[in-house]
Amino acid sequence: MAPVPGKGLRTPMLASGPAAAGCAELLRPLGASVTVLDGDAGEAATRKLLRSVFFKGMAAAVTEALHAAREAGLEDWLRDNIGAELAAADASLVRRLEEGSVKHAVRRSAEMRAAARLLAELGVPSRISDASRRWLDQLASSTESSTINAGTVRSERGKGKGDGTG
């Protein structure tokens, strides 16, 4: 659940399924940090992949933005700006991003269209900018925005489980 280089076996791990506890017992004496999850095999992988959506998506957005900023002669400024935003972030940022995306989808889609045009002028592919615009367009025109309740996006997967995710 963290970058492996530099930590190796000490990288925090999740394990689930019938062999999870045994796996943890084998690895912990070697210095591993293993959290055993209740649930079926695959529960740990599901959590890891959901986390990857966020981290890999954020990395792609940062990389695209920095590439464009470099071409515009503004890399240092944007790098500092991104660093300051991340340093100031707290748990409330998640709710603001989620709720703000729904509330301001139309305006943000237009902004991402303009951003993609800027990247094209700079000769930078706008893969993440284009994907963000498409997602905002869908969000603005779908009933997904009506499924936001107190900042929680409802998913079909969690409905009816009685686990608070539905």
Side-chain angles (χ1 to χ4, degrees):
M1 295 299 293
V4 175
K7 293 187 179 183
L9 192 57
R10 287 172 180 74
T11 302
M13 295 179 241
L14 299 176
S16 62
C23 177
E25 287 176 25
L26 289 172
L27 293 174
R28 285 181 181 141
L30 301 173
S33 171
V34 182
T35 300
V36 176
L37 304 174
D38 291 333
D40 298 331
E43 179 67 25
T46 296
R47 290 180 188 213
K48 169 66 172 137
L49 293 173
L50 290 172
R51 184 177 180 275
S52 291
V53 171
F54 168 69
F55 275 102
K56 279 46 172 194
M58 179 176 59
V62 166
T63 301
E64 180 172 291
L66 288 174
H67 183 185
R70 188 175 314 115
E71 295 301 317
L74 296 168
E75 182 179 5
D76 291 341
W77 169 80
L78 185 58
R79 188 177 297 278
D80 291 345
N81 182 271
I82 292 169
E85 290 290 338
L86 293 175
D90 61 19
S92 69
L93 177 63
V94 175
R95 185 174 301 277
R96 286 194 335 264
L97 290 172
E98 181 184 35
E99 291 176 354
S101 293
V102 172
K103 184 176 181 180
H104 304 293
V106 172
R107 178 182 55 79
R108 289 180 179 182
S109 175
E111 186 175 340
M112 293 313 297
R113 189 171 286 106
R117 282 193 303 268
L118 172 64
L119 269 62
E121 291 171 12
L122 294 170
V124 176
S126 58
R127 295 173 189 98
I128 303 305
S129 299
D130 290 340
S132 296
R133 181 195 44 78
R134 287 190 305 271
W135 174 74
L136 287 161
D137 286 345
Q138 291 171 358
L139 190 59
S141 65
S142 75
T143 58
E144 183 173 336
S145 59
S146 69
T147 64
I148 301 290
N149 183 5
T152 302
V153 176
R154 306 294 181 176
S155 72
E156 290 300 317
R157 180 167 186 210
K159 287 184 179 174
K161 285 186 173 181
D163 60 359
T165 61

